[in-house]
Amino acid sequence: MKRLLGVLMRVWTLPNTLIGLLLGALSFQRPRLDEGVVVFDRGPRGFLWLFGKLSRYSAITFGHVVLSVRAVEGSLRRHERHHVAQYEVLGPLFLPTYLGLFAVKGYRGHPFEVEASEAAKRAGPPGAPA
């Protein structure tokens, strides 16, 4: 049953994961697998270079893909893994919901970001192993 649920979550998040894989391919780097999540964090190249220049954020998650201009570890890993869990709940509804709330609340007041930041803090101090 647990395995079936895992497969269903992957299918549910697939549209978002495909966006992440496309953007990851545009980062011109080899991804790594971290407990079922595809991670592109080997430095700011291609898309990630542009993301780093145009954004003040260091990472972004699409489904089961994390793209980052720096190593995804410690509190950043916990934060982005929480976003993966949010995608697993909302699936294709995540991006429109996220963007709608972002337009109203901004980044700091965004409930998804507040939740992910709290999850990262609860799991341990910054820099602690994930």
Side-chain angles (χ1 to χ4, degrees):
M1 185 64 166
K2 187 175 180 179
R3 187 172 181 180
L4 176 61
L5 184 58
V7 169
L8 290 175
M9 284 190 300
R10 297 234 179 262
V11 171
W12 180 235
T13 62
L14 187 59
N16 299 306
T17 299
L18 291 174
I19 293 169
L21 290 172
L22 174 63
L23 293 174
L26 294 174
S27 74
F28 306 111
Q29 58 183 281
R30 177 181 286 175
R32 64 183 177 85
L33 200 57
D34 180 10
E35 295 183 21
V37 175
V38 179
V39 180
F40 293 87
D41 66 348
R42 306 218 189 262
R45 291 183 281 179
F47 164 76
L48 286 173
W49 176 84
L50 185 62
F51 176 74
K53 292 291 182 191
L54 298 177
S55 167
R56 63 179 190 214
Y57 311 113
S58 59
I60 189 166
T61 299
F62 292 95
H64 286 94
V65 177
V66 176
L67 304 125
S68 180
V69 298
R70 64 183 177 96
V72 177
E73 52 192 20
S75 61
L76 177 61
R77 180 181 184 268
R78 290 187 294 271
H79 181 99
E80 298 307 322
R81 294 296 295 225
H82 193 79
H83 285 314
V84 170
Q86 292 169 333
Y87 272 101
E88 290 176 346
V89 171
L90 292 171
L93 303 175
F94 181 92
L95 286 176
T97 304
Y98 186 97
L99 293 173
L101 288 168
F102 187 86
V104 175
K105 302 272 188 178
Y107 181 82
R108 297 243 183 252
H110 197 294
F112 292 5
E113 294 300 337
V114 170
E115 228 181 66
S117 294
E118 288 301 315
K121 288 178 194 170
R122 278 194 310 270

